[in-house]
Amino acid sequence: MQLTIDDALRERLANLRELGRAKIRPLGLEADRLGRPVPPDDPFYGLLLKLGLGRTRWLGGAEPSGGERSKREARSAGPSLTGVLLSEELAYWDRGVAVSFPGPGLGEPPVLAMGTEAQKERFLAPFQAPDRPRWGSFAMTEPGAGSDVAAIRASARRDGDHWILNGDKSFAANASRADWIVVWATVDPTQGRAGHRAFVVERDTPGLGDFVIEKKMGLKGYESTSFTLRDCRVGADCLLGGEEHYARRAGFKGAMKSFNATRPMIGAMAVGIGRAALDAAVDFAREHERLGDPRVRDRLERTRRKLRSARLLCWRAAWLADRERPNVVEASMAKAIAPAAALEATILGMELLGAVGGRGDHLIEKLFRDVKAMDIVEGTGQIQRLIIARHLVHLPRD
Ligand SMILES: Cc1cc2nc3c(=O)[nH]c(=O)nc-3n(C[C@H](O)[C@H](O)[C@H](O)COP(=O)(O)OP(=O)(O)OC[C@H]3O[C@@H](n4cnc5c(N)ncnc54)[C@H](O)[C@@H]3O)c2cc1C
């Protein structure tokens, strides 16, 4: 595995660190105290655009050929590894605020993996040099369908040149501020995953509405939003990949391919949160002269070791993704292991804080609440372990 990073990426990481210290951490603490996400018109987002952030990874016509790409990636980090490194740094400062960053977000991987060239142009080109902060969103989860995505009930019915969508979605990141949302629906619930279709639903489409920002225990810097689709009519050209894509029975695989790209990033974000908790725990232990206690030192060392091992798994999964090599097992391992290691770091921090942690105003206490969701999003830890077992010991599907 080649993990060299070039000077440009090193500089990007250093700049993020400065931004994190000066802006991201304070905004995250404020959002947590006020119990609401950073508002979409906050000047911080304009600043991000000026810094060249909030853009799509899609290069449009300038997309390098496979040969050029692999030569470049052999020299340095490809887009997935870059994403993993930047994600960890951002989450170190505040994972909630990091998810609120403008950009196509979780909506981007399915558009890249499944979309036609015309759809990439239509939905991603505005994110190439955005004139204002723009967001994309991804909505699979429903009140009755989380881990078991085959259970989604949002329906899609063809009507001439249009599709009519009906259903309820929940917990979609940045949905109420998004230019568009990738919405998963089914043409026939009896077909399970084979009936799934992905649509890009643009803001202000009649029938898309009832946005409600959900209450969360942590990660308050960004909005997780429920919404409804009521006879929501979208053009046939909003069906990602067009009908041919689903004739090849590739619909669900499209969603899964997205997750294989994003799970290592979720793992890396968990590592970032865990590292922040551990650094704060070491500071606290030093201030309170606890570092001389071998039991404390041993636990700090063990937690650091677990976080570093988890980080290597994330890097490996991303490195494979950059080479378009199968990474299902590695992506699931990264996602199963990193949040558990990060949770352990926050628990250790809480234990060291003692009564101070119970007051509810210490950074470690916030990170303790933030980290739980990392085990839930994009497939819970249990689901990752099932995926790993299916591949490694051929655990039957059901
Ligand atoms: C902060 C946050 C952000 C999110 N962002 C998004 C988003 O942007 N877009 C989106 O679409 N969704 C999003 N989600 C939803 C998330 O993907 C779901 O919460 C997740 O898939 C789990 O579904 P569930 O909550 O319905 O739990 P359930 O699926 O009901 O699971 C409950 C428990 O049962 C366990 N379980 C379920 N099935 C099995 C099984 N077969 N074997 C063993 N154990 C099992 C689970 O591991 C879990 O512990 C978000 C959720 C959170 C908390």
Side-chain angles (χ1 to χ4, degrees), residues 138-141 146-147 171-173 216 222 373 376-377 380 382-383 386:
F138 175 95
M140 172 77 88
T141 304
S147 303
F171 266 103
K216 290 194 298 236
Y222 80 102
I376 302 173
V377 297
T380 65
Q382 282 98 333
I383 297 302
L386 284 176

Side-chain angles (χ1 to χ4, degrees), residues 19 35 68 72 81 99 106-107 135 137 140 167 215 219 231 248 252 313 325 328 335 397:
L19 187 70
E68 281 167 33
R72 203 176 59 191
L81 188 54
V99 180
L106 279 180
W135 286 267
S137 181
M140 172 77 88
K215 270 195 159 179
L219 302 177
D231 289 331
R248 298 197 306 270
F252 183 69
L313 276 171
R325 281 165 53 184
V328 183
K335 175 66 181 66
R397 290 205 164 261

Side-chain angles (χ1 to χ4, degrees), residues 128-178:
Q128 285 187 312
D131 49 340
R132 58 171 172 80
R134 294 173 181 271
W135 286 267
S137 181
F138 175 95
M140 172 77 88
T141 304
E142 298 180 2
S147 303
D148 182 11
V149 289
I152 60 168
R153 288 293 171 269
S155 65
R157 179 171 58 80
R158 181 93 200 213
D159 181 28
D161 284 345
H162 288 83
W163 286 87
I164 314 287
L165 307 177
N166 276 289
D168 299 340
K169 292 288 174 184
S170 50
F171 266 103
N174 299 321
S176 81
R177 61 185 70 185

Side-chain angles (χ1 to χ4, degrees), residues 34-154:
L34 299 175
R36 55 110 184 95
V38 180
D41 58 358
D42 193 288
F44 174 64
Y45 296 128
L47 170 70
L48 293 182
L49 292 197
K50 283 198 196 114
L51 295 173
L53 298 167
R55 299 177 178 218
T56 175
R57 288 195 284 130
W58 182 63
L59 299 173
E63 200 100 287
S65 69
E68 281 167 33
R69 202 167 40 221
S70 53
K71 254 191 266 158
R72 203 176 59 191
E73 281 162 7
R75 285 200 304 272
S76 184
S80 291
L81 188 54
T82 301
V84 155
L85 294 168
L86 298 176
S87 297
E88 182 188 323
E89 189 58 41
L90 285 168
Y92 180 88
W93 298 105
D94 195 279
R95 199 264 173 175
V97 174
V99 180
S100 84
F101 272 30
L106 279 180
E108 184 177 58
V111 176
L112 286 175
M114 302 162 64
T116 61
E117 284 311 304
Q119 288 170 329
K120 289 177 197 169
E121 179 69 40
R122 175 170 166 194
F123 300 117
L124 295 178
F127 287 87
Q128 285 187 312
D131 49 340
R132 58 171 172 80
R134 294 173 181 271
W135 286 267
S137 181
F138 175 95
M140 172 77 88
T141 304
E142 298 180 2
S147 303
D148 182 11
V149 289
I152 60 168
R153 288 293 171 269

